[in-house]
Amino acid sequence: MEFRFTEEKNWGKKAYNGFGTALVGVFFIVFQVYLNGGSMDSLLIFIGFIPVIIGVTQGLYNMTRQEKDYVYLEEDLLTINKGLFLPRKEVKYVDINYCTVIGDFLVFKLRKDKEEQINIEYLSDEDFALLREELKKRVKIDLFRTSPTAYNTVH
């Protein structure tokens, strides 16, 4: 079962920020060429293209983000999309001790004092409610613990 990134989040703004980073990189290259009278060291060109490549990649990724799944539930584990340059994080259901909502995050307390989190803002309210119900069915323990009411904003 998959839960996609919400369409309510303004991914377009993040895409424009990525394209802005690329534009700054292009400006840097043009400015360096202008200062050096038309010639430029290949190392500076390479360094200038790093933000261009990263910015364009981030922009394209964020433009299509709502089409990608954020959380995917399998039979014995869940996977969490951690972003463009990071691998998906796998969490086995047997490793979950409990989870709690703190602010905008669903925090999983795992064995060996590890923890993993899901950003609730990346899911629609309906998807988050369904995710909670599915986790209760799959984990088979008293899964959800209450957090201080000041932090527990999603019920």
Side-chain angles (χ1 to χ4, degrees):
M1 173 174 270
E2 68 181 33
F3 298 92
R4 294 184 182 271
F5 285 95
T6 184
E7 294 179 11
E8 298 164 8
K9 190 84 172 153
N10 193 356
W11 299 115
K13 184 176 179 182
K14 288 188 175 199
Y16 291 134
N17 288 341
F19 292 134
T21 300
L23 189 62
V24 168
V26 169
F27 176 74
F28 173 75
I29 293 169
V30 170
F31 186 68
Q32 287 296 326
V33 169
Y34 175 75
L35 286 180
N36 291 322
S39 66
M40 191 167 152
D41 186 23
S42 60
L43 178 64
L44 286 176
I45 292 174
F46 177 74
I47 290 171
F49 271 110
I50 291 173
V52 173
I53 293 168
I54 291 173
V56 168
T57 305
Q58 284 180 332
L60 293 173
Y61 175 76
N62 284 318
M63 285 180 68
T64 60
R65 200 166 201 180
Q66 68 273 6
E67 299 168 8
K68 296 174 176 44
D69 61 317
Y70 178 44
V71 178
Y72 188 81
L73 301 180
E74 297 180 28
E75 285 297 317
D76 56 345
L77 61 92
L78 67 94
T79 61
I80 305 167
N81 185 334
K82 289 300 195 175
L84 177 61
F85 298 113
L86 300 173
R88 295 183 68 86
K89 178 66 179 175
E90 292 184 355
V91 177
K92 294 181 180 179
Y93 299 137
V94 296
D95 291 338
I96 299 174
N97 287 331
Y98 66 93
C99 60
T100 186
V101 175
I102 301 177
D104 292 329
F105 295 95
L106 176 62
V107 179
F108 295 97
K109 297 293 183 175
L110 307 174
R111 295 182 185 185
K112 298 181 183 175
D113 291 328
K114 294 184 178 183
E115 69 179 42
E116 194 56 53
Q117 60 191 16
I118 294 174
N119 190 331
I120 297 169
E121 288 184 339
Y122 292 174
L123 297 170
S124 67
D125 292 339
E126 297 82 21
D127 280 350
F128 179 63
L130 182 59
L131 174 64
R132 284 179 66 141
E133 292 306 314
E134 283 297 320
L135 286 172
K136 286 178 186 177
K137 292 177 193 174
R138 294 172 190 240
V139 176
K140 311 259 193 301
I141 59 171
D142 184 22
L143 182 63
F144 288 93
R145 303 240 175 116
T146 57
S147 59
T149 53
Y151 297 111
N152 198 357
T153 58
V154 179
H155 301 296

